[in-house]
Amino acid sequence: MKRMGIILFDGFCPTCNKWAKWITKRDRRGGFKLVARDSEAGDAYLSICPARLKELDSVLLFSQGVWFARSSVTCRVLWGLALHWRLAGLLLWLIPRPLRDLVYDVYARRRHRSNPANS
């Protein structure tokens, strides 16, 4: 199986860690490698990440030489899982990206408020 990509996530965020565990549980083909942004491996990937994405409060995906962020990562991760998740990813993809990203950004701000470490 060809690797779908490297997912960089906030290792200090409980919500992000739950999402990473969710992916790991469903990624039966091992298509994704999950890396905490705040790790040595995360630093190595961030060193080749475009500057416009480095400071973005988002999960990042590096796949086949291309970087993705925000809701596009969610769609692409779903596409790498079982058929029913691929269909969910397709339905999500049909929503215009500005609207998907707006919802993603609202959720991202909310997760920081609910995280006691960020208070």
Side-chain angles (χ1 to χ4, degrees):
M1 164 77 184
K2 186 175 181 182
R3 187 164 297 278
M4 297 286 301
I6 309 300
I7 299 171
L8 295 174
F9 67 99
D10 181 349
F12 290 114
C13 170
T15 302
C16 299
N17 281 297
K18 286 179 188 175
W19 192 66
K21 287 178 186 174
W22 186 91
I23 293 169
T24 300
K25 183 177 178 181
R26 288 156 181 81
D27 184 20
R28 289 183 167 66
R29 294 178 289 183
F32 296 104
K33 179 179 178 182
L34 288 125
V35 177
R37 288 177 73 143
D38 52 314
S39 67
E40 196 173 309
D43 288 341
Y45 284 110
L46 287 172
S47 73
I48 61 169
C49 179
R52 65 182 172 75
L53 297 179
K54 284 182 183 179
E55 299 302 318
L56 192 61
D57 183 20
S58 172
V59 64
L60 300 173
L61 172 67
F62 184 59
S63 178
Q64 299 177 6
V66 181
W67 286 92
F68 301 94
R70 299 156 97 185
S71 66
S72 294
V73 174
T74 304
C75 292
R76 289 172 187 282
V77 167
L78 291 172
W79 293 343
L81 302 177
L83 180 61
H84 60 285
W85 293 115
R86 284 186 220 148
L87 294 173
L90 176 62
L91 292 174
L92 184 60
W93 188 258
L94 294 175
I95 299 169
R97 190 176 59 163
L99 183 56
R100 287 191 332 253
D101 283 348
L102 174 66
V103 172
Y104 182 96
D105 291 342
V106 168
Y107 182 77
R109 283 192 299 275
R110 187 181 133 276
R111 76 174 171 90
H112 284 303
R113 275 201 309 254
S114 65
N115 184 354
N118 291 322
S119 297

